[in-house]
Amino acid sequence: MRSFSPRQKALREITARLGRENVLVHPADRLVYECDGYTLVKCMPQGVVFPRSARDVQQVVQVCREYRVPLVARGAGTGLAGGATPVDEAIVVSLARMNRILAVDLVNRRVKVEAGVINLELTQRLAGTGYQFAPDPSSQVACTLGGNIATNAGGPHTLKYGVTVNHVLGLECVTGEGEILALEPRSDPGDLDWIGVLTGSEGTLAIVTSAWLKLIPAYREFITLRGTFLRIEDACLAVSRIIGAGITPAAMELMDQGILQAVEEAFHFGFPTNVEAVLIVELDGVGPAIEAQAEQVATFCRECGAQEVVSASDAEERARLWQCRKSAVGAVGRLSPAYFIQDGVVPRTKLPEMASRVKEIARRWNVRVVNVAHAGDGNIHPIFLYDPKNPAEVERTVSASHEILAACIHLGGSITAEHGVGLEKRDFMERLYPPEVLQAMRALKSVFDPDAILSPGKLIPPNNREGSAAFKGERNV
């Protein structure tokens, strides 16, 4: 008589409950889910399940808990820190089929969505209403709102309006105990900030199934400036000057020479490719107010060494400019057979020094790096170009990436601003927090997930690294 492993037993029971059409077990089907956008570590999942409701998710978690089988929640797989990598042959729980916009409540300025709704689909649904959901990650065309909540995602326009947690009013999620936790919107909540705890917890505490999100008025007047700089450090200095003057742009984005070359080849926007950096500054609001601010911004840029400061001539040019910025990372595929994007943050006043350090670290490790940045937040995104068929080059690239993260910490910043910690940066948590803080995080996880089945090996370093599940994956070298 054939014996089945706990994972196989769990999958058989999940299949019986959800139906074969909602479970993938064939190796060719599972291969797609072996990693997210962080491709340096890949692990084949035991299976992939597609719940269609919170009740389905609850059943999956309860079965996995019964058999002590790890599981990993996944949105669109656009994450960049290994958060959706199914280490230890975990079962992947894809929220992709939970993709309904459940309610649009303009009177109360809120919307209710399932976790699998694509960020851009919500933006399109709100078009013409006079309202918007502010967080707009560069992966907006593909990323899910559940994934945005899991990583506390940002985006260019969160400089002025805040990251995802600032726009979540209520959550429905399934804990590691298999309980559905409903946190309804309240005008004056008197309990603990559970939304703040769960948003950004990267699926280690609970799986988000739906959310109430805040809507804000959508401005119709914009001025979008583009400044060109011969030195990237000067562009970073301009950022500090603008913020220091009390001006809060809707967005302030930086692209370096390498990115400009890739974007220009792809979109033919007209970017200069003989400069080290372009700074995009967008102001929104009422015409006379933002016109005065635009003059100040242009003055600061010129005082910091800008060779040219120009304004988008119309809405079409503004849209094309933002298309270039949001497609910049994808355009890097023209430069290299493979790449991965890092995510760190430093105080804005440290941006010029950080820019210099990135260049020096890349030179010393002999790796290719191009840069984009949500510069107004001090959020840097060095993009490492490498050949996955060259193990030595991969090792150098990883070493350089780690040194950049260490530099962020040294300058008073952090290892992530919006991508999350995931698998990639988990061990850097020990450099950020003392042991007692990490132990408090473990204690909190044990409350929500007592059997540690949710996203094992992610975010929080284990007490004992020997045999850690996070290192059972296949390093893609």
Side-chain angles (χ1 to χ4, degrees):
M1 182 177 180
R2 182 182 177 186
S3 62
F4 295 95
S5 70
R7 285 168 175 75
Q8 291 170 327
K9 291 178 181 178
L11 270 177
R12 285 166 64 90
E13 187 166 338
I14 290 169
T15 302
R17 296 190 185 196
L18 270 61
R20 290 185 179 275
E21 69 277 11
N22 294 314
V23 181
L24 300 179
V25 294
H26 193 281
D29 295 326
R30 291 184 284 132
L31 186 65
V32 180
Y33 298 87
E34 65 181 356
C35 67
D36 57 13
Y38 178 69
T39 60
L40 286 173
V41 177
K42 297 180 179 180
C43 307
M44 179 76 87
Q46 184 70 26
V48 184
V49 299
F50 296 88
R52 295 178 181 270
S53 67
R55 173 60 180 153
D56 284 352
V57 175
Q58 182 183 40
Q59 291 190 76
V60 172
V61 174
Q62 288 174 343
V63 171
C64 287
R65 188 185 184 200
E66 177 184 352
Y67 289 100
R68 299 294 192 268
V69 173
L71 53 84
V72 174
R74 179 186 173 101
T78 59
L80 294 163
T85 303
V87 296
D88 200 21
E89 296 183 314
I91 292 174
V92 169
V93 181
S94 170
L95 285 303
R97 295 179 185 174
M98 296 177 61
N99 57 4
R100 295 177 299 164
I101 297 175
L102 300 172
V104 177
D105 182 0
L106 298 181
V107 173
N108 292 300
R109 298 188 177 186
R110 63 187 186 180
V111 60
K112 187 176 184 180
V113 299
E114 289 185 319
V117 173
I118 302 299
N119 185 297
L120 184 61
E121 289 180 357
L122 178 59
T123 297
Q124 293 170 339
R125 176 70 174 271
L126 294 171
T129 66
Y131 291 93
Q132 64 177 334
F133 176 66
D136 61 335
S138 295
S139 57
Q140 185 182 26
V141 297
C143 65
T144 64
L145 292 166
N148 294 166
I149 292 168
T151 60
N152 194 21
H157 290 88
T158 56
L159 167 61
K160 182 174 183 178
Y161 297 110
V163 292
T164 299
V165 71
N166 304 118
H167 300 269
V168 179
L169 301 174
L171 286 175
E172 178 191 75
C173 55
V174 179
T175 70
E177 289 186 295
E179 296 181 348
I180 296 178
L181 180 63
L183 302 169
E184 295 294 330
R186 298 182 184 178
S187 58
D188 186 22
D191 53 0
L192 295 176
D193 183 14
W194 293 116
I195 290 174
V197 169
L198 292 165
T199 303
S201 61
E202 303 185 31
T204 62
L205 303 181
I207 298 175
V208 172
T209 53
S210 66
W212 281 103
L213 304 176
K214 179 170 67 175
L215 302 180
I216 64 172
Y219 281 110
R220 298 182 180 180
E221 295 185 67
F222 304 90
I223 295 179
T224 306
L225 303 174
R226 172 167 54 96
T228 58
F229 295 81
L230 294 178
R231 298 176 66 249
I232 192 171
E233 292 88 349
D234 293 340
C236 293
L237 181 61
V239 171
S240 292
R241 289 286 303 278
I242 293 166
I243 297 294
I247 300 171
T248 305
M252 192 147 44
E253 299 288 296
L254 183 146
M255 296 188 288
D256 79 352
Q257 187 175 46
I259 286 287
L260 292 172
Q261 291 171 348
V263 168
E264 188 59 24
E265 182 180 338
F267 300 105
H268 310 292
F269 181 82
F271 286 117
T273 57
N274 61 341
V275 297
E276 272 203 358
V278 161
L279 185 66
I280 302 171
V281 183
E282 180 158 283
L283 302 157
D284 65 2
V286 180
I290 59 175
E291 288 169 6
Q293 289 183 340
E295 292 180 5
Q296 288 181 282
V297 167
T299 297
F300 290 139
C301 286
R302 294 188 184 100
E303 289 176 353
C304 291
Q307 300 298 294
E308 180 184 47
V309 182
V310 297
S311 175
S313 58
D314 53 30
E316 181 180 354
E317 185 177 359
R318 171 182 174 259
R320 287 188 61 223
L321 182 60
W322 281 114
Q323 179 193 16
C324 290
R325 167 59 188 92
K326 291 198 172 187
S327 302
V329 175
V332 172
R334 295 172 175 266
L335 305 178
S336 174
Y339 64 86
F340 77 91
I341 180 169
Q342 190 52 274
D343 166 50
V345 62
V346 295
R348 280 183 289 261
T349 55
K350 298 293 185 181
L351 271 174
E353 182 177 351
M354 191 67 223
S356 296
R357 288 202 183 194
V358 170
K359 288 195 292 187
E360 191 276 329
I361 290 168
R363 179 196 58 76
R364 182 157 36 81
W365 283 101
N366 189 27
V367 298
R368 295 181 297 162
V369 178
V370 296
N371 294 275
V372 294
H374 300 315
D377 294 315
N379 183 190
I380 64 167
H381 290 314
I383 303 173
F384 296 83
L385 315 179
Y386 69 97
D387 182 355
K389 297 180 180 179
N390 185 335
E393 185 171 293
V394 173
E395 292 295 341
R396 293 199 313 274
T397 299
V398 171
S399 296
S401 169
H402 287 175
E403 190 168 333
I404 286 173
L405 291 177
C408 287
I409 296 172
H410 178 73
L411 292 176
S414 182
I415 58 176
T416 181
E418 58 176 348
H419 290 178
V421 174
L423 182 68
E424 176 206 4
K425 293 177 277 192
R426 184 200 65 185
D427 293 335
F428 274 86
M429 293 286 279
E430 293 177 330
R431 302 194 191 188
L432 274 178
Y433 300 106
E436 58 271 21
V437 173
L438 291 174
Q439 192 55 39
M441 293 181 186
R442 296 185 188 103
L444 178 64
K445 178 173 173 61
S446 70
V447 172
F448 285 87
D449 182 24
D451 298 299
I453 62 170
L454 296 183
S455 293
K458 311 294 176 61
L459 184 59
I460 305 172
N463 280 319
N464 179 14
R465 294 194 187 181
E466 294 296 327
S468 170
F471 295 96
K472 292 182 182 179
E474 176 187 353
R475 181 70 173 275
N476 187 27
V477 297

